Amino acid sequence: MTDPYQYYPTPEALSHKAWAMFKNQQFARVLEPSAGEGHLLRPGPYQYGKRLPIDCIEIDIRKHAVLRDEGYAVVGMDFLQFQSGSVYSHIIMNPPFADGAKHVLKAWEILFDGEIVAILNAETVRNPFSKERQLLVRLIEQHGEVEFLSEMFAGEDAERKTPVDVALVWLKKTSTFEQDILGSILDDLRQDRREADDVAGAFQLPHELALPNAFIDNAVLMFNAAVEAARQAVVSEARASRYRTMLGKTLGELNGGGISSEDDSSSDAVKRTLFKRYHDLKNRAWASILRSTQVTSRLSSAAQKRLESDFETVKSLEFTVPNIYGFLQGIIEQQGEIQLSMVCDVFDLITRYYSDNAVFYMGWKSNDKHRTLGMRIKTTRFVLPGHKVESYHNSLNWESERLLADFDKVFALLDGKTEADMSLVSVFRQHFQELRAGQRIGGSYFDVRYYPGVGTIHFFPKSKTLIDRMNRWVGRQRRWLPPVDTQAGQGFWQQFDQAENFDKAFHTEVNKQCPRSSRHVHFDPFWAIKHGGESEREKGHRLLTQAMSTVLASRGIDPDAVLENEQSSLLEWTGSLPSPTDLALAS
């Protein structure tokens, strides 16, 4: 099978030779433009026992996780489209041999001041038949040197062997203010609007996730304008510092009574300042995309936090139109998982506080050491505490409104809609006085009643179908339910459907097995399975399943009864789940 990326991991001996070729061993920040899985970087620079920061670019996205696990920052995918090279002091590279000259010329173009070490096919330098190779040879003659090596990819430490000779190229680029610093620090990151339109046209996103092309293009143009303004400001500050130093010290400084003016116009100082300001702007730009995508308006607060946690990785990428669309595409690919997590979040919120918000049923018999009980939210009513407000307030606080908004987002998702027609937040804002007076007011998915004295909200679901859908999604995710309905017998589904009818008898049986005593500490199995240690949870599950088994047996129900179609019971667990995306995208 042909390797489209020409991936040849750098042998260890060659990696050491490449790093040793740098004349300046004071590494500020390093870029590896064709990183693969990081073989070339393993002998990389350390200071005080800590590896110095190295940024990577790798076109094969499957290798990004490996690089990040090694502690490297992935800042791009296609080096030939990368623009932000001026913050680096060193570039070390083992580019695809077929395009070696092109990659080295790109590195030279974007580097402001620093060194380049490149591993190339020796023929790239020995046989300069193209304009790119000829330009590379002139650069080596004027600004560097080359060493030819044989059989470096044929030794025992080479993962992929090839007899090709290599050229180890070193280049030194020096820029000063006299060499038109204004035009060389960040390599003119401004992109042509027409090019952005061409790139945007190559991507197709579902309607509910797609930002307008103009928004994305304008965000990139605005970012580039901000970077250009920052570049000019840094250059102006450096130039002013250079002139201030040339003018000499003040009388106060000469007499020892003042603070000496420092010259911060060196290329290293400029790069450090640019790096800090550039990454601040990039962080802001990516945050604007994350907050502007329509998908975030449909995320629960917990799902938003999870996405923002992943965003720490995303924001290391260069802020370009292709990378923005790649980010959005990644959200689409994870949408089913994101939505399922949202449903589980709200399910846990409902079951966390009041034990009578949910009922138990006998869970699916898995290969776990002990069979556990599953939980179902009640279809009639559930209660959430902690929503007190001061008497002079005319609405709930922000935290309470966020919880209500999460409920609406999840139940709209379960209903296959983008949002609730009548949200709970609007119900409380528009009818707060009526609710405080004890009235029951309806939204799209719930009637609600508010008790301000104790701070509880009572929710009365309008649709048993949606509550059942939530119970089944969560049940399958947590393996309380079988992955396929026909895998369980009729008895299993009978006790699942009638769980609310058995709830009182179940709790009575639990109290028989765990009687309260004034002389002994009462063991609470419900508390134990939620908060206890491993042995306590095990004991709690055992007691509860015994109680449930007794209740079901007294009613002639065997949850383990198999169907006549025994073949269905042979299906294996695959981890697949009913896709929330099918419903979420239906509208």
Side-chain angles (χ1 to χ4, degrees), residues 165-194:
D165 290 350
V166 300
L168 197 56
V169 173
W170 172 83
L171 295 171
K172 174 66 172 78
K173 185 174 183 180
T174 303
S175 295
T176 66
F177 294 107
E178 289 73 20
Q179 294 174 332
D180 194 18
I181 191 173
L182 284 174
S184 62
I185 294 186
L186 273 184
D187 317 300
D188 190 15
L189 287 174
R190 291 167 298 180
Q191 294 186 355
D192 184 82
R193 177 62 175 271
R194 184 172 61 255

Short mmCIF file of all heavy atoms in Angstrom, two decimals, residues 165-194:
data_model
loop_
_atom_site.label_atom_id
_atom_site.label_comp_id
_atom_site.label_asym_id
_atom_site.label_seq_id
_atom_site.Cartn_x
_atom_site.Cartn_y
_atom_site.Cartn_z
N ASP A 165 20.88 8.01 0.33
CA ASP A 165 21.79 8.92 1.04
C ASP A 165 21.00 10.17 1.44
O ASP A 165 20.04 10.57 0.77
CB ASP A 165 22.96 9.34 0.15
CG ASP A 165 23.92 8.19 -0.11
OD1 ASP A 165 23.78 7.16 0.56
OD2 ASP A 165 24.79 8.34 -0.99
N VAL A 166 21.43 10.77 2.54
CA VAL A 166 20.74 11.97 3.00
C VAL A 166 21.70 13.15 3.05
O VAL A 166 22.93 12.98 3.17
CB VAL A 166 20.09 11.77 4.39
CG1 VAL A 166 19.07 10.66 4.36
CG2 VAL A 166 21.15 11.52 5.46
N ALA A 167 21.13 14.35 2.96
CA ALA A 167 21.88 15.59 3.13
C ALA A 167 21.38 16.25 4.40
O ALA A 167 20.18 16.52 4.54
CB ALA A 167 21.67 16.51 1.93
N LEU A 168 22.27 16.50 5.31
CA LEU A 168 21.94 17.20 6.55
C LEU A 168 22.28 18.67 6.34
O LEU A 168 23.44 19.07 6.28
CB LEU A 168 22.73 16.61 7.71
CG LEU A 168 22.24 16.91 9.13
CD1 LEU A 168 20.79 16.48 9.31
CD2 LEU A 168 23.12 16.24 10.16
N VAL A 169 21.24 19.50 6.19
CA VAL A 169 21.40 20.91 5.80
C VAL A 169 21.22 21.80 7.01
O VAL A 169 20.29 21.62 7.81
CB VAL A 169 20.37 21.29 4.71
CG1 VAL A 169 20.42 22.78 4.43
CG2 VAL A 169 20.62 20.49 3.45
N TRP A 170 22.14 22.76 7.17
CA TRP A 170 22.03 23.78 8.22
C TRP A 170 21.98 25.15 7.58
O TRP A 170 22.77 25.46 6.68
CB TRP A 170 23.23 23.70 9.16
CG TRP A 170 23.29 24.83 10.16
CD1 TRP A 170 22.63 24.92 11.34
CD2 TRP A 170 24.07 26.04 10.05
NE1 TRP A 170 22.94 26.10 11.98
CE2 TRP A 170 23.82 26.81 11.20
CE3 TRP A 170 24.94 26.54 9.08
CZ2 TRP A 170 24.41 28.04 11.41
CZ3 TRP A 170 25.53 27.78 9.29
CH2 TRP A 170 25.28 28.52 10.45
N LEU A 171 21.02 25.98 8.01
CA LEU A 171 20.88 27.34 7.51
C LEU A 171 20.75 28.30 8.69
O LEU A 171 20.11 27.97 9.70
CB LEU A 171 19.65 27.48 6.61
CG LEU A 171 19.64 26.70 5.30
CD1 LEU A 171 18.27 26.78 4.64
CD2 LEU A 171 20.72 27.23 4.35
N LYS A 172 21.32 29.50 8.54
CA LYS A 172 21.20 30.53 9.57
C LYS A 172 20.64 31.78 8.93
O LYS A 172 21.21 32.33 7.99
CB LYS A 172 22.57 30.86 10.18
CG LYS A 172 22.55 32.03 11.17
CD LYS A 172 21.74 31.69 12.42
CE LYS A 172 21.87 32.77 13.50
NZ LYS A 172 21.04 33.96 13.22
N LYS A 173 19.48 32.21 9.43
CA LYS A 173 18.86 33.42 8.92
C LYS A 173 18.98 34.52 9.96
O LYS A 173 18.63 34.34 11.13
CB LYS A 173 17.38 33.18 8.61
CG LYS A 173 16.68 34.36 7.95
CD LYS A 173 15.26 34.00 7.52
CE LYS A 173 14.60 35.18 6.80
NZ LYS A 173 13.21 34.85 6.37
N THR A 174 19.52 35.65 9.54
CA THR A 174 19.73 36.78 10.45
C THR A 174 18.94 37.96 9.94
O THR A 174 19.08 38.39 8.79
CB THR A 174 21.22 37.16 10.54
OG1 THR A 174 21.96 36.02 10.96
CG2 THR A 174 21.42 38.31 11.51
N SER A 175 18.08 38.50 10.81
CA SER A 175 17.31 39.70 10.45
C SER A 175 17.61 40.80 11.44
O SER A 175 17.76 40.57 12.63
CB SER A 175 15.81 39.39 10.47
OG SER A 175 15.48 38.46 9.48
N THR A 176 17.74 42.01 10.94
CA THR A 176 17.96 43.18 11.78
C THR A 176 16.93 44.22 11.40
O THR A 176 16.23 44.12 10.40
CB THR A 176 19.37 43.77 11.57
OG1 THR A 176 19.45 44.27 10.24
CG2 THR A 176 20.43 42.71 11.80
N PHE A 177 16.86 45.26 12.20
CA PHE A 177 15.92 46.33 11.89
C PHE A 177 16.28 47.02 10.59
O PHE A 177 15.44 47.50 9.84
CB PHE A 177 15.87 47.34 13.04
CG PHE A 177 15.29 46.76 14.28
CD1 PHE A 177 16.10 46.47 15.36
CD2 PHE A 177 13.95 46.47 14.36
CE1 PHE A 177 15.57 45.93 16.50
CE2 PHE A 177 13.41 45.92 15.51
CZ PHE A 177 14.22 45.65 16.58
N GLU A 178 17.59 47.06 10.27
CA GLU A 178 18.03 47.69 9.04
C GLU A 178 17.61 46.88 7.82
O GLU A 178 17.61 47.36 6.69
CB GLU A 178 19.54 47.86 9.05
CG GLU A 178 20.03 48.94 10.02
CD GLU A 178 19.93 48.51 11.46
OE1 GLU A 178 19.86 47.29 11.72
OE2 GLU A 178 19.91 49.39 12.32
N GLN A 179 17.24 45.57 8.02
CA GLN A 179 16.83 44.72 6.90
C GLN A 179 15.31 44.66 6.82
O GLN A 179 14.70 43.61 6.66
CB GLN A 179 17.41 43.32 7.07
CG GLN A 179 18.92 43.29 6.95
CD GLN A 179 19.49 41.92 7.27
OE1 GLN A 179 18.90 41.16 8.03
NE2 GLN A 179 20.63 41.62 6.68
N ASP A 180 14.70 45.82 6.97
CA ASP A 180 13.24 45.94 6.79
C ASP A 180 12.50 45.05 7.77
O ASP A 180 11.69 44.19 7.40
CB ASP A 180 12.82 45.58 5.37
CG ASP A 180 11.39 46.03 5.07
OD1 ASP A 180 10.87 46.89 5.81
OD2 ASP A 180 10.81 45.51 4.12
N ILE A 181 12.73 45.30 9.07
CA ILE A 181 12.07 44.50 10.09
C ILE A 181 10.55 44.62 10.02
O ILE A 181 9.82 43.72 10.37
CB ILE A 181 12.60 44.91 11.48
CG1 ILE A 181 12.13 43.90 12.53
CG2 ILE A 181 12.16 46.30 11.86
CD1 ILE A 181 12.74 44.13 13.88
N LEU A 182 10.10 45.77 9.56
CA LEU A 182 8.65 45.98 9.50
C LEU A 182 7.95 44.95 8.62
O LEU A 182 6.79 44.64 8.81
CB LEU A 182 8.35 47.39 8.98
CG LEU A 182 8.55 48.53 9.99
CD1 LEU A 182 8.37 49.86 9.28
CD2 LEU A 182 7.60 48.41 11.14
N GLY A 183 8.65 44.41 7.65
CA GLY A 183 7.99 43.49 6.73
C GLY A 183 8.31 42.04 6.97
O GLY A 183 7.87 41.19 6.19
N SER A 184 9.07 41.71 8.05
CA SER A 184 9.54 40.33 8.13
C SER A 184 9.19 39.61 9.43
O SER A 184 9.45 38.43 9.53
CB SER A 184 11.06 40.30 7.97
OG SER A 184 11.66 41.01 9.02
N ILE A 185 8.63 40.27 10.45
CA ILE A 185 8.50 39.60 11.74
C ILE A 185 7.44 38.50 11.73
O ILE A 185 7.70 37.38 12.09
CB ILE A 185 8.21 40.63 12.84
CG1 ILE A 185 9.42 41.53 13.01
CG2 ILE A 185 7.91 39.93 14.15
CD1 ILE A 185 9.32 42.49 14.16
N LEU A 186 6.26 38.81 11.31
CA LEU A 186 5.22 37.77 11.28
C LEU A 186 4.79 37.42 9.88
O LEU A 186 3.73 36.84 9.66
CB LEU A 186 4.01 38.19 12.12
CG LEU A 186 4.13 37.82 13.58
CD1 LEU A 186 2.85 38.18 14.32
CD2 LEU A 186 4.41 36.37 13.78
N ASP A 187 5.60 37.76 8.89
CA ASP A 187 5.46 37.24 7.53
C ASP A 187 4.13 37.58 6.85
O ASP A 187 3.66 36.83 5.99
CB ASP A 187 5.61 35.71 7.52
CG ASP A 187 6.75 35.26 8.39
OD1 ASP A 187 7.88 35.66 8.12
OD2 ASP A 187 6.47 34.53 9.35
N ASP A 188 3.55 38.69 7.29
CA ASP A 188 2.30 39.15 6.66
C ASP A 188 1.22 38.07 6.69
O ASP A 188 0.95 37.38 5.71
CB ASP A 188 2.55 39.59 5.21
CG ASP A 188 1.31 40.29 4.64
OD1 ASP A 188 0.42 40.66 5.42
OD2 ASP A 188 1.24 40.45 3.42
N LEU A 189 0.61 37.92 7.88
CA LEU A 189 -0.39 36.88 8.07
C LEU A 189 -1.74 37.18 7.39
O LEU A 189 -2.65 36.38 7.43
CB LEU A 189 -0.63 36.67 9.56
CG LEU A 189 0.48 35.96 10.31
CD1 LEU A 189 0.19 35.96 11.80
CD2 LEU A 189 0.64 34.55 9.82
N ARG A 190 -1.89 38.35 6.82
CA ARG A 190 -3.17 38.68 6.19
C ARG A 190 -3.46 37.76 5.02
O ARG A 190 -2.61 37.52 4.19
CB ARG A 190 -3.15 40.14 5.70
CG ARG A 190 -3.15 41.17 6.81
CD ARG A 190 -2.81 42.54 6.29
NE ARG A 190 -1.47 42.57 5.70
CZ ARG A 190 -0.91 43.65 5.17
NH1 ARG A 190 -1.58 44.77 5.10
NH2 ARG A 190 0.30 43.60 4.68
N GLN A 191 -4.65 37.24 4.96
CA GLN A 191 -5.04 36.35 3.88
C GLN A 191 -5.98 37.07 2.93
O GLN A 191 -6.79 37.89 3.34
CB GLN A 191 -5.76 35.11 4.43
CG GLN A 191 -4.87 34.24 5.27
CD GLN A 191 -5.59 32.97 5.68
OE1 GLN A 191 -6.76 32.81 5.41
NE2 GLN A 191 -4.87 32.09 6.33
N ASP A 192 -5.88 36.71 1.67
CA ASP A 192 -6.76 37.28 0.66
C ASP A 192 -8.18 36.75 0.85
O ASP A 192 -8.39 35.57 1.04
CB ASP A 192 -6.25 36.89 -0.74
CG ASP A 192 -7.08 37.53 -1.83
OD1 ASP A 192 -6.85 38.70 -2.14
OD2 ASP A 192 -7.96 36.83 -2.34
N ARG A 193 -9.17 37.64 0.82
CA ARG A 193 -10.55 37.24 1.06
C ARG A 193 -11.03 36.23 0.01
O ARG A 193 -11.79 35.31 0.30
CB ARG A 193 -11.47 38.48 1.04
CG ARG A 193 -12.95 38.20 1.19
CD ARG A 193 -13.21 37.53 2.55
NE ARG A 193 -14.62 37.35 2.78
CZ ARG A 193 -15.39 38.27 3.36
NH1 ARG A 193 -14.88 39.41 3.77
NH2 ARG A 193 -16.66 38.04 3.54
N ARG A 194 -10.58 36.38 -1.21
CA ARG A 194 -10.99 35.46 -2.25
C ARG A 194 -10.51 34.05 -1.96
O ARG A 194 -11.22 33.07 -2.15
CB ARG A 194 -10.46 35.92 -3.60
CG ARG A 194 -10.92 35.07 -4.78
CD ARG A 194 -10.52 35.69 -6.09
NE ARG A 194 -9.08 35.83 -6.22
CZ ARG A 194 -8.44 37.00 -6.09
NH1 ARG A 194 -9.10 38.11 -5.85
NH2 ARG A 194 -7.12 37.07 -6.22
#
